[in-house]
Amino acid sequence: MTERLELFFALLAVVLLATSIATSIAKGTGMVTGSGVLRAIAPYRYQIAAAIAATSMVGSLYFSEVAHFVPCTLCWYQRIAMYSLAVILTLATFRSDDIRIYGAVLAGLGMTLSGYHWLIERLPAIDANVCSATMPCDFVWFEKFGFVTLPFMAFAGFAAILNLMLLRVDA
């Protein structure tokens, strides 16, 4: 079961990151087809971002609590950002509060942490001694497609949420 979920979440992360890159390009170039899609999804950006954050949260809880993958220090910091996003984005779907700045800041911080964490997995020498000796941040629980690991999946989730928070309703 765990191996199937690893593959499922890895595929989800790749699709999510590819979609984020495509929408960023569409926003940046003002492509007609892209802008039509962006206009269509803009009013639902909180709901989509909340679904991404909640899915990420459920995935991280599965891997730690069911599969028993022990989180390292950087994993905990990423969880703080993602779990907070899951709460505030879910609340934003039911209220008319504009929380884009809060969502963007949390997603940007989480994206930076997870990107750094993914790099530590590739280049352990760049670790700035943030991780413990008992659970080092360069330990890879699993890897799919030669590059998708838990920090990569978090990076894809944060990137997608950041992209949605920067999307204007009148896009």
Side-chain angles (χ1 to χ4, degrees):
M1 176 68 159
T2 296
E3 197 167 309
R4 283 189 223 148
L5 284 173
E6 289 170 3
L7 180 60
F8 171 75
F9 282 110
L11 286 168
L12 200 57
V14 170
V15 168
L16 201 55
L17 193 57
T19 304
S20 294
I21 291 169
T23 56
S24 292
I25 291 170
K27 283 192 303 192
T29 60
M31 290 174 26
V32 176
T33 11
S35 64
V37 171
L38 295 178
R39 257 195 306 279
I41 66 170
Y44 305 103
R45 67 176 178 263
Y46 292 145
Q47 291 90 335
I48 297 166
I52 293 167
T55 302
S56 298
M57 185 176 79
V58 167
S60 78
L61 287 170
Y62 172 82
F63 288 126
S64 66
E65 301 305 313
V66 178
H68 304 292
F69 295 176
V70 179
C72 70
T73 303
L74 286 176
C75 288
W76 281 112
Y77 295 150
Q78 292 165 64
R79 283 176 173 213
I80 291 167
M82 189 63 77
Y83 292 11
S84 298
L85 281 166
V87 171
I88 67 167
L89 291 168
T90 300
L91 289 173
T93 64
F94 299 107
R95 298 179 46 93
S96 59
D97 301 339
D98 185 6
I99 55 98
R100 286 179 297 153
I101 188 70
Y102 311 117
V105 168
L106 277 171
L109 288 171
M111 193 170 127
T112 303
L113 285 168
S114 56
Y116 174 62
H117 190 181
W118 185 80
L119 286 174
I120 287 175
E121 290 179 335
R122 302 287 173 263
L123 307 163
I126 67 170
D127 183 6
N129 294 324
V130 286
C131 290
S132 71
T134 56
M135 189 63 242
C137 292
D138 62 350
F139 184 82
V140 178
W141 284 101
F142 67 88
E143 183 175 82
K144 299 293 183 192
F145 316 123
F147 65 97
V148 179
T149 62
L150 288 168
F152 181 90
M153 288 189 239
F155 180 86
F158 286 123
I161 292 168
L162 179 61
N163 203 335
L164 287 162
M165 292 302 100
L166 298 177
L167 189 60
R168 293 187 351 241
V169 176
D170 62 340

